[in-house]
Amino acid sequence: MRNLIAFLWKNYFFFLFVILEVAALFLIVNNNYYQQRVFINSTSDFTGNLIEKYNNFTSYFALKNANKILVEENTRFYNMSPKSFIKTDTSTFFVNDSLYTQQYKYRSAKVISNSINRRNNYLKLNKGSLQGIKPDMAVVATGGIVGQVIEVSDHFSSVMSILNSNARVSAKLRKSNQVGSLFWDGQDYKMGKLVDIPSHVRINIGDTVVTSGYSYTYPEGRIVGVVEGFNIEEGESFFEVDVRFSVDFNNLSYVYVIQNLFKGELIQLEQSDYTE
Amino acid sequence: MAGKHIIQFFILLILQVFVFSNINVYGYVYPAFYVYFILLLPFETAGWLLLLSSFALGLGVDFFTNSLGINAAASVFTAFLRPGLFRLLKSKKEYVPGITPGVGDLGFRWFFLYASILIVLHHSALFFLEAFSFKDILQTLHRIIASSAATLILVLILQLLFLKQNKR
């Protein structure tokens, strides 16, 4: 026993190294499992507050561009509002139309931290569970989709951006309605890859890629990007399509968090399919 | 003397989180500049202190960058290799207590070799842990080279700045 202690003591530098590495690896592995939703401390209010203070300072530099985007968006909404249409038929009247029920609820949020230079990128938003944000909600910007909420604390939330090896989005070509799977290969933050498009489909460069709405997370028809190129491996029956994201991930300041109000119902229905 | 390193610890942590982690060149460069702290600890630093302080620094960076464990593991790895590297790298001067492994005490050539080896090892650990596979090895190597070069340049600039100040 004494020899053992003497041996451990003599080589404590090595054993301490091993212990610390094991602790670090434990943290890494536990955090890489997105499904386990392990408590990540960086969503906690302390670091969130610090990052927000820093962001309050730096966000002044992005104001000009953020304003421009907001004005453009306002213009679009004004164009859609009933006031911008002339009433041509005065005999119509309104009824409470039960055909339409709200399915998606939007909440605006500010990006307080963001990265594009890692293999797994995350954003942090200044709204959390107290403002109604829940895990799995979709996050979109004015130009297109951004990612998915993975954790929330009281006042902040963490978003897994599409620029992440764990992110997969069900997307389709708007023209042909062919559905595939979109992911990021870790190289250029402006480009994503769309796979599983069968080889008989006609693809043109410049075709729009939109969300399919199959995942219950993103509403259908949200713009993802445009086709920039495509190729097919010898002997394969599926295309690999290069998609240029319509959102500039390096320049995000305000985003919308989308809640699917029917999600619970849809999941319940899906589960009852399997239990039979 | 110890106080200087404690202050350095916190300054580097803040700089890393708010400045260097946000640097974006080609989307490939992520300078882990905080490794400067591990490089510049004095020779007589006890082994446990070297390992534990490196672990704490890496973990601190991880808390802010959503990469829990990755920077901590790489830092401990780097700290562990440091004493071995001292034995490997010969110097005209003896490694006596009181001198730091910097340009001022051991000369530019020695420091350049020492810093570049440790920085490359640190970034290798960092990016392979982040990728967690050898699948995209070319991409990972690209990241390692670009980021190590950026970190090395920053470390050398800081060292030369301090050298000038001391000579005055």
Side-chain angles (χ1 to χ4, degrees):
Chain A
M1 190 63 196
R2 204 202 286 165
N3 281 340
L4 180 69
I5 291 169
F7 173 73
L8 287 177
W9 182 245
K10 223 179 114 192
N11 296 303
Y12 87 92
F13 186 64
F14 176 74
F15 289 111
L16 185 61
F17 163 70
V18 172
I19 291 166
L20 289 176
E21 283 294 5
V22 168
L25 284 173
F26 180 78
L27 287 174
I28 294 171
V29 170
N30 270 344
N31 269 306
N32 271 355
Y33 285 127
Y34 153 63
Q35 290 84 352
Q36 287 186 356
R37 302 235 171 78
V38 182
F39 170 67
I40 295 182
N41 226 333
S42 57
T43 5
S44 78
D45 285 352
F46 171 67
T47 54
N49 270 325
L50 259 180
I51 292 173
E52 190 179 34
K53 286 222 170 73
Y54 171 72
N55 181 266
N56 276 342
F57 174 70
T58 55
S59 63
Y60 285 107
F61 303 116
L63 270 185
K64 206 174 157 189
N65 197 35
N67 265 334
K68 202 181 112 214
I69 293 171
L70 283 175
V71 168
E72 277 168 13
E73 200 167 27
N74 271 336
T75 322
R76 269 218 332 277
F77 288 143
Y78 276 131
N79 286 335
M80 282 186 231
S81 92
K83 281 182 191 158
S84 28
F85 294 92
I86 300 171
K87 241 185 234 166
T88 47
D89 185 357
T90 45
S91 66
T92 53
F93 57 93
F94 292 101
V95 288
N96 188 5
D97 190 348
S98 58
L99 267 179
Y100 293 97
T101 312
Q102 188 179 14
Q103 184 179 6
Y104 294 105
K105 186 167 180 180
Y106 287 69
R107 291 179 177 84
S108 72
K110 188 163 168 240
V111 178
I112 57 171
S113 82
N114 180 19
S115 74
I116 58 164
N117 57 353
R118 322 296 300 267
R119 182 63 184 94
N120 295 325
N121 294 292
Y122 297 89
L123 297 93
K124 216 154 284 159
L125 307 181
N126 70 340
K127 290 198 175 162
S129 54
L130 291 181
Q131 285 84 24
I133 311 280
K134 292 194 193 85
D136 280 343
M137 287 187 183
V139 178
V140 302
T142 305
I145 65 169
V146 171
Q148 194 173 353
V149 176
I150 52 167
E151 350 222 339
V152 289
S153 65
D154 283 354
H155 300 97
F156 301 99
S157 48
S158 259
V159 176
M160 182 172 74
S161 123
I162 313 177
L163 307 181
N164 190 308
S165 60
N166 297 314
R168 295 243 164 207
V169 178
S170 170
K172 65 183 181 186
L173 295 162
R174 190 155 70 181
K175 222 180 203 168
S176 57
N177 259 337
Q178 289 287 342
V179 177
S181 176
L182 182 97
F183 66 95
W184 185 57
D185 60 0
Q187 292 186 16
D188 184 352
Y189 76 91
K190 291 174 184 144
M191 305 293 296
K193 284 220 184 305
L194 180 67
V195 293
D196 296 345
I197 301 289
S199 58
H200 66 81
V201 177
R202 264 187 97 94
I203 306 178
N204 294 316
I205 286 174
D207 280 357
T208 311
V209 178
V210 297
T211 51
S212 70
Y214 287 177
S215 65
Y216 313 149
T217 302
Y218 297 102
E220 192 197 335
R222 277 272 158 187
I223 291 180
V224 177
V226 289
V227 174
E228 180 137 311
F230 52 90
N231 65 315
I232 190 158
E233 295 270 312
E234 194 84 32
E236 289 279 329
S237 49
F238 294 101
F239 277 118
E240 198 182 270
V241 183
D242 295 320
V243 179
R244 179 170 286 274
F245 293 127
S246 51
V247 167
D248 183 359
F249 283 94
N250 202 14
N251 186 9
L252 287 174
S253 40
Y254 289 91
V255 293
Y256 301 101
V257 182
I258 307 180
Q259 179 179 16
N260 185 349
L261 298 169
F262 292 151
K263 188 169 184 169
E265 196 179 322
L266 285 163
I267 287 174
Q268 211 178 4
L269 184 67
E270 192 173 63
Q271 277 166 351
S272 62
D273 283 349
Y274 296 132
T275 47
E276 287 298 317
Chain B
M1 198 62 194
K4 187 186 133 196
H5 287 279
I6 293 169
I7 294 167
Q8 202 177 56
F9 180 97
F10 287 106
I11 291 178
L12 281 171
L13 179 59
I14 290 165
L15 275 178
Q16 181 66 38
V17 170
F18 290 129
V19 181
F20 294 110
S21 290
N22 297 320
I23 284 182
N24 265 319
V25 190
Y26 310 122
Y28 274 106
V29 179
Y30 175 76
F33 183 67
Y34 63 88
V35 76
Y36 185 84
F37 171 81
I38 306 171
L39 288 172
L40 265 283
L41 279 174
F43 280 105
E44 70 270 22
T45 311
W48 61 270
L49 189 60
L50 175 67
L51 289 175
L52 283 177
S53 57
S54 304
F55 182 76
L57 181 59
L59 205 62
V61 174
D62 283 330
F63 274 143
F64 284 93
T65 53
N66 246 326
S67 54
L68 207 52
I70 293 177
N71 284 297
S75 299
V76 173
F77 176 69
T78 310
F80 176 70
L81 294 176
R82 202 183 93 132
L85 189 63
F86 285 150
R87 260 171 266 137
L88 218 69
L89 290 175
K90 292 188 181 70
S91 160
K92 280 174 207 156
K93 277 191 179 175
E94 287 285 314
Y95 302 140
V96 286
I99 68 169
T100 48
V103 176
D105 286 331
L106 288 159
F108 183 80
R109 271 189 60 185
W110 185 91
F111 182 75
F112 182 80
L113 198 62
Y114 162 69
S116 44
I117 292 173
L118 268 199
I119 287 172
V120 169
L121 288 170
H122 182 81
H123 283 85
S124 306
L126 196 64
F127 290 117
F128 274 113
L129 279 171
E130 191 180 43
F132 227 69
S133 80
F134 290 101
K135 216 176 72 191
D136 299 322
I137 190 156
L138 278 178
Q139 196 191 332
T140 310
L141 287 177
H142 189 165
R143 271 165 205 254
I144 292 169
I145 294 166
S147 306
S148 300
T151 310
L152 184 63
I153 290 167
L154 288 166
V155 166
L156 289 177
I157 289 173
L158 196 62
Q159 268 291 294
L160 294 176
L161 276 179
F162 274 109
L163 193 69
K164 261 195 171 166
Q165 240 173 24
N166 287 346
K167 273 189 179 163
R168 253 179 228 157

